[in-house]
């Protein structure tokens, strides 16, 4: 069924306050009921139509929704409206990737065995050995804090290319000497052959990864050496596959300091040599079109953005960090949309019978579809679901707004507010946190259609574009397992032990109302203050 785009309208709202004593909190004596009456002139059909209800909570508080009813019918009378089990259990193994967790060096890193620092002015030859201080493992302690183990590790320089492809970059590719037997030299050559294209595209989109600055304790501004370190992060090859870590790579800004003990004093990213660039089925041999190789390339794009982000926002433009979680959200979003933007040119995989794109949507949207109701959309929690939500928001933004990436680095504001400031500099749509959530929600509901328009566009008959890069069409309903499914009216009071839905701050709730007519009345109950909630009826 096609969703009718022309009816994202706030419908006649009547607010009733009823007394109740069965809810907790400061507003425990108030049950807020919002009533929506259907306007017959807006129905796509003359008498009735199927509809979704989009609720947006732009506030900073969580709100409990005990029940939604149509014509005061109890939920037991509305059991045929596309009901599905909750929570959804994915039918496939979801690919996942995390950067290394945030670290507190004093608490989680033993630097007592640091014996040698890499000097950014050193000159290397292919075959040289060098010691780098790198992450070798990560565990979660009894307080749910990430504790990382770093160690001096010997690497061999397996590829050195000065001024690669007429750039100013001297590319060094190093492999942990313990992993020389598991990494094909073809994988190294593949990474090298794609470096200059990715470098040019990324710096055009995001800006230089290093350059002018006036800090005496950082790597020199004219440094031209770039290092890629390949190692088995977490020693996954010796661990049962179900217990392996999920750190595929990382960039550590600490390594850009030349006055810090434990710094590698080098511009570098670290990639996992076992989980990336290495076929899970070793009998097939290495292939540039294998999923593992594409993971490797997308991880490099992801981590390279983090280096650019650090230099552009923190060093070049001297923006002081003020909101760690909010800034992390946008930083990770920018890394994932970098993968998205470059997917058409670089991330092409093959399963030996079909060739297809493998951008981050196939990794992140299934996770979003599975647990969109369980989290705040605009909040970062350092978990896999955080990546999925930040990606979905970023994927929406690059398909609806232009030229905001570089603008973000020059704004004086960090995080989502800085992102919105950058978007509004060049957009004909004035977007804030509320309209961002609303239009994202509408775009997801419209994603089955190919004739949508900005600012509610995720799908199209042809490629969408950002800065002349082709973008993959996104259909949340049809292209992923699990698929996107709004809640059914019948489910709402069956969720969370029958207490209702916890409507998280800065998030959307999508409800499938089924067939409604002009004589229908939809009531939404809130167990606490429901002011500020936005409503849209979307007919399909």
């Amino acid at each position: 069924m096609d969703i009718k785009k022309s009816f994202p309208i706030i419908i006649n709202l009547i607010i009733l306050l009823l007394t109740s004593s069965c809810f907790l909190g400061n507003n425990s004596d108030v049950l807020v009921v919002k009533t929506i009456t259907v306007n017959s002139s807006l129905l796509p059909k003359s008498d009735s139509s199927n509809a979704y209800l989009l609720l947006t909570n732009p506030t900073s508080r969580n709100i409990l929704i005990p029940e939604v009813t149509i014509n005061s019918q109890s939920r037991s009378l509305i059991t045929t409206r596309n009901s599905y089990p909750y929570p959804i259990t994915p039918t496939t193994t979801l690919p996942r990737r995390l950067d290394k967790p945030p670290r507190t060096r004093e608490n989680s890193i033993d630097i007592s065995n640091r014996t040698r620092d890499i000097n950014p002015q050193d000159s290397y030859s292919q075959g040289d050995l060098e010691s780098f201080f790198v992450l070798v493992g990560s565990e979660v302690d009894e307080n749910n804090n990430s504790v990382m183990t770093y160690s001096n590790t010997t690497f061999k320089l397996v590829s050195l290319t000065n001024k690669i492809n007429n750039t100013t970059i001297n590319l060094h590719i190093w492999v942990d000497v313990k992993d020389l037997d598991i990494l094909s030299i073809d994988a190294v050559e593949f990474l090298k052959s794609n470096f200059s294209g990715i470098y040019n595209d990324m710096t055009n989109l995001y800006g230089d990864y290093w350059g002018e600055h006036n800090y005496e304790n950082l790597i020199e501004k004219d440094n031209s050496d770039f290092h890629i370190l390949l190692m088995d992060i977490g020693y996954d090859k010796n661990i049962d596959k179900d217990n392996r870590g999920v750190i595929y790579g990382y960039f550590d800004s600490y390594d850009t300091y030349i006055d810090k003990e434990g710094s590698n004093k080098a511009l570098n990213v670290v990639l996992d040599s076992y989980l990336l660039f290495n076929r899970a089925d070793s009998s097939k041999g290495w292939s540039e079109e294998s999923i593992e190789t594409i993971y490797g390339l997308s991880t490099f794009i992801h981590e390279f953005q983090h280096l650019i982000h650090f230099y552009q926002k923190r060093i070049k433009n001297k923006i002081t960090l003020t909101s760690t979680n909010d800034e992390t959200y946008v930083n990770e979003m920018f890394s994932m949309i970098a993968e998205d933007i470059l997917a058409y040119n670089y991330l092409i995989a093959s399963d030996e019978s079909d060739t297809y794109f493998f951008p981050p949507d196939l990794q992140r949207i299934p996770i979003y579809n599975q647990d969109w109701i369980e989290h705040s959309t605009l909040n970062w929690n350092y978990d896999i679901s955080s990546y999925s939500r930040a990606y979905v928001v970023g994927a929406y933004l690059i398909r609806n707004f232009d030229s905001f990436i570089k603008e973000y680095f020059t704004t004086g504001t960090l995080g989502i507010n800085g992102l919105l400031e950058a978007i509004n500099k060049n957009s004909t749509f004035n977007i804030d946190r509320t309209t961002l959530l609303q239009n994202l929600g509408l775009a997801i509901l419209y994603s089955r259609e190919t004739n949508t328009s900005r600012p509610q566009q995720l799908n199209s008959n042809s490629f969408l574009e950002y800065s002349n890069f082709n973008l993959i069409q996104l259909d949340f309903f049809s292209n992923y397992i699990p698929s996107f499914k709004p809640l059914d009216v019948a489910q709402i009071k069956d969720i969370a032990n029958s207490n209702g839905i916890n409507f998280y701050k800065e998030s959307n709730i999508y409800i499938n109302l089924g067939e409604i007519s002009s004589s229908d009345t939809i009531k939404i109950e809130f167990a606490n203050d429901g002011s500020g909630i936005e409503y849209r009826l979307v007919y399909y």
Side-chain angles (χ1 to χ4, degrees), residues 382-397:
Y382 289 102
D383 57 12
I384 292 169
S385 183
S386 294
Y387 282 79
S388 71
R389 298 191 304 276
Y391 168 71
V392 165
V393 173
Y396 160 75
L397 291 176

Side-chain angles (χ1 to χ4, degrees), residues 397-451:
L397 291 176
I398 59 175
R399 287 165 175 79
N400 287 276
F401 303 96
D402 298 315
S403 306
F404 65 86
I405 293 177
K406 277 190 176 180
E407 287 285 357
Y408 173 73
F409 293 126
T410 61
T411 64
T413 310
L414 286 167
I416 294 172
N417 289 337
L419 176 64
L420 297 175
E421 180 183 331
I423 290 170
N424 288 328
K425 283 186 177 181
N426 297 296
S427 175
T428 57
F429 308 102
N430 186 28
I431 187 169
D432 56 21
R433 295 173 87 103
T434 300
T435 54
L436 168 61
L437 287 167
Q438 288 176 320
N439 285 304
L440 168 67
L442 292 170
I444 290 173
L445 290 174
Y446 300 150
S447 66
R448 284 180 292 190
E449 281 199 346
T450 57
N451 61 345

Side-chain angles (χ1 to χ4, degrees), residues 58-83:
T59 74
S60 59
R61 64 186 185 279
N62 298 340
I63 300 172
L64 185 67
I65 302 179
E67 192 166 16
V68 174
T69 61
I70 300 176
N71 299 332
S72 300
Q73 295 181 50
S74 68
R75 62 187 186 278
S76 61
L77 300 179
I78 315 175
T79 57
T80 60
R81 299 183 188 276
N82 191 33
S83 182

Side-chain angles (χ1 to χ4, degrees), residues 205-233:
L205 283 165
Y206 288 78
D208 293 334
Y209 75 89
W210 202 251
E212 291 291 331
H213 68 78
N214 58 2
Y215 296 98
E216 295 182 353
N217 63 334
L218 293 179
I219 291 172
E220 292 185 359
K221 61 185 179 182
D222 57 354
N223 181 280
S224 58
D225 293 332
F226 186 81
H227 304 263
I228 298 175
L229 310 182
L230 298 169
M231 62 173 292
D232 180 7
I233 304 173

Side-chain angles (χ1 to χ4, degrees), residues 282-297:
S282 58
S283 65
K284 293 183 177 180
W286 180 84
S287 168
E288 67 179 39
E289 294 181 343
S290 72
I291 293 297
E292 295 84 2
T293 297
I294 300 308
Y295 267 148
L297 214 53

Side-chain angles (χ1 to χ4, degrees), residues 233-455:
I233 304 173
Y235 305 122
D236 297 302
K237 67 179 178 181
N238 299 322
I239 302 174
D240 179 82
K241 66 179 181 179
D242 293 329
N243 296 312
R244 289 173 182 163
V246 292
I247 301 175
Y248 278 16
Y250 68 88
F251 157 71
D252 193 341
S253 60
Y254 198 87
D255 285 339
T256 66
Y257 291 86
I258 59 176
D259 63 341
K260 303 288 188 183
E261 185 179 13
S263 169
N264 287 306
K265 302 176 184 175
L267 301 171
N268 69 83
V269 297
V270 182
L271 305 177
D272 194 301
S273 59
Y274 184 73
L275 297 178
L276 310 174
F277 304 110
N278 185 49
R279 292 294 282 270
D281 183 353
S282 58
S283 65
K284 293 183 177 180
W286 180 84
S287 168
E288 67 179 39
E289 294 181 343
S290 72
I291 293 297
E292 295 84 2
T293 297
I294 300 308
Y295 267 148
L297 214 53
S298 66
T299 301
F300 172 67
I301 293 169
H302 185 109
E303 302 306 333
F304 193 55
Q305 189 286 141
H306 285 316
L307 169 55
I308 297 175
H309 203 109
F310 171 71
Y311 169 69
Q312 289 288 334
K313 197 73 171 177
R314 305 293 302 283
I315 305 303
K316 182 179 179 180
N317 292 298
K318 301 180 180 179
I319 308 300
T320 302
L321 183 65
T322 57
S323 178
T324 302
N325 284 0
D326 213 33
E327 165 61 4
T328 300
Y329 188 104
V330 174
N331 197 338
E332 295 297 343
M333 173 197 295
F334 273 31
S335 280
M336 289 181 285
I337 62 177
E339 300 172 63
D340 196 337
I341 294 170
L342 270 60
Y344 182 76
N345 290 341
Y346 300 99
L347 306 184
I348 300 177
S350 172
D351 63 3
E352 299 177 358
S353 62
D354 187 26
T355 299
Y356 53 92
F357 300 110
F358 202 75
D361 67 295
L362 291 179
Q363 305 170 57
R364 282 24 183 279
I365 291 180
I367 300 173
Y368 178 85
N369 285 349
Q370 176 179 291
D371 62 6
W372 58 265
I373 197 173
E374 296 178 347
H375 307 275
S376 168
T377 303
L378 301 183
N379 188 51
W380 185 263
N381 293 322
Y382 289 102
D383 57 12
I384 292 169
S385 183
S386 294
Y387 282 79
S388 71
R389 298 191 304 276
Y391 168 71
V392 165
V393 173
Y396 160 75
L397 291 176
I398 59 175
R399 287 165 175 79
N400 287 276
F401 303 96
D402 298 315
S403 306
F404 65 86
I405 293 177
K406 277 190 176 180
E407 287 285 357
Y408 173 73
F409 293 126
T410 61
T411 64
T413 310
L414 286 167
I416 294 172
N417 289 337
L419 176 64
L420 297 175
E421 180 183 331
I423 290 170
N424 288 328
K425 283 186 177 181
N426 297 296
S427 175
T428 57
F429 308 102
N430 186 28
I431 187 169
D432 56 21
R433 295 173 87 103
T434 300
T435 54
L436 168 61
L437 287 167
Q438 288 176 320
N439 285 304
L440 168 67
L442 292 170
I444 290 173
L445 290 174
Y446 300 150
S447 66
R448 284 180 292 190
E449 281 199 346
T450 57
N451 61 345
T452 55
S453 59
R454 294 182 172 190

